[in-house]
Amino acid sequence: MQPKNLICNILSALKRYIIQFGGLSIGNHNFEFHVDDAFFENFEYSEIKEGDVFVDVSLEKQETMLILNFSIKGNVNIICDRCSDFFDLPISTNQQLIVKFGDEDFEETDDIFVIPFNEHKIDLSQLIYEYINLSVPIKRVHPDNKHGNSTCDPEIIKIIEGLSENNSTDNRWDALKKLKNKTK
Ligand SMILES: [Zn+2]
């Protein structure tokens, strides 16, 4: 990701995720952000449409760089891989980003961004969006309840189990049908 994407084309709804670091003193500063349904609406292809996530950012401003530590915690509403029903998935992640002030030919990585010396603000919305998505596991299923039973939609599970049972017992069904016909 290029730093230009972070700074330019800021949608008004995402303005509150901008940190104006230009006026900050050298040292530590804390910021709190809340991510709600309206946040995800700004990301057209987002799999997550609803969420309730708190983002704490501790920002250390130095002469030549910013060190940002993100602590992200909350719930996102996502579709279950097993029963296709939506459910609230708890997420929690900690991430660190280093923003260096310098020329564009500085080498960038996923964790290090370079922005020009004359820049005085940074938009964190895209980053927060990516961090939230990174914290969502590949396999998303309804959690088990305290008795160790699945909390998936029971109606759907019944149908799915019925389908797989029919497939695996085709031969037995056939045998049963033959038997029935004989006894008629
Ligand atoms: Zn489910």
Side-chain angles (χ1 to χ4, degrees):
M1 197 200 312
Q2 296 298 309
K4 291 176 206 76
N5 299 340
L6 289 174
I7 296 156
C8 303
N9 303 322
I10 295 160
L11 295 160
S12 60
L14 297 177
K15 268 187 182 157
R16 56 181 155 144
Y17 303 98
I18 295 172
I19 292 180
Q20 303 274 357
F21 61 82
L24 297 176
S25 57
I26 299 294
N28 290 308
H29 304 271
N30 289 303
F31 298 87
E32 285 177 12
F33 301 98
H34 182 229
V35 168
D36 54 14
D37 303 351
F39 175 86
F40 294 104
E41 280 170 19
N42 295 285
F43 299 92
E44 198 184 343
Y45 300 106
S46 178
E47 218 184 328
I48 303 167
K49 305 288 182 204
E50 292 176 14
D52 185 22
V53 181
F54 291 91
V55 182
D56 285 324
V57 180
S58 98
L59 180 153
E60 186 189 340
K61 187 177 174 181
Q62 299 182 1
E63 294 289 350
T64 56
M65 69 172 94
L66 306 170
I67 301 170
L68 294 104
N69 283 296
F70 293 78
S71 170
I72 300 175
K73 220 173 172 145
N75 288 298
V76 293
N77 199 253
I78 202 157
I79 205 156
C80 173
D81 289 340
R82 194 191 290 143
C83 71
S84 304
D85 198 8
F86 282 91
F87 73 107
D88 281 334
L89 176 78
I91 57 155
S92 174
T93 182
N94 293 304
Q95 300 283 344
Q96 188 181 66
L97 175 77
I98 293 171
V99 180
K100 285 188 175 172
F101 307 134
D103 302 321
E104 292 217 358
D105 49 350
F106 260 36
E107 204 178 316
E108 290 194 320
T109 69
D110 279 348
D111 307 317
I112 301 176
F113 289 133
V114 181
I115 59 174
F117 279 108
N118 60 1
E119 187 54 68
H120 57 275
K121 63 181 187 301
I122 183 165
D123 176 13
L124 301 180
S125 57
Q126 180 71 36
L127 268 173
I128 291 171
Y129 174 73
E130 283 176 20
Y131 288 155
I132 289 173
N133 276 281
L134 280 174
S135 70
V136 173
I138 293 168
K139 190 172 163 64
R140 309 89 181 256
V141 289
H142 277 92
D144 288 349
N145 63 17
K146 58 182 176 185
H147 305 295
N149 297 321
S150 168
T151 55
C152 280
D153 184 337
E155 294 294 313
I156 303 290
I157 293 305
K158 221 184 270 176
I159 293 166
I160 294 169
E161 280 174 356
L163 285 175
S164 59
E165 212 165 275
N166 279 347
N167 287 338
S168 62
T169 56
D170 268 348
N171 293 337
R172 275 189 282 166
W173 273 112
D174 288 342
L176 204 65
K177 273 182 210 155
K178 274 179 198 162
L179 204 68
K180 267 189 172 176
N181 289 337
K182 269 186 190 171
T183 55
K184 264 181 193 170

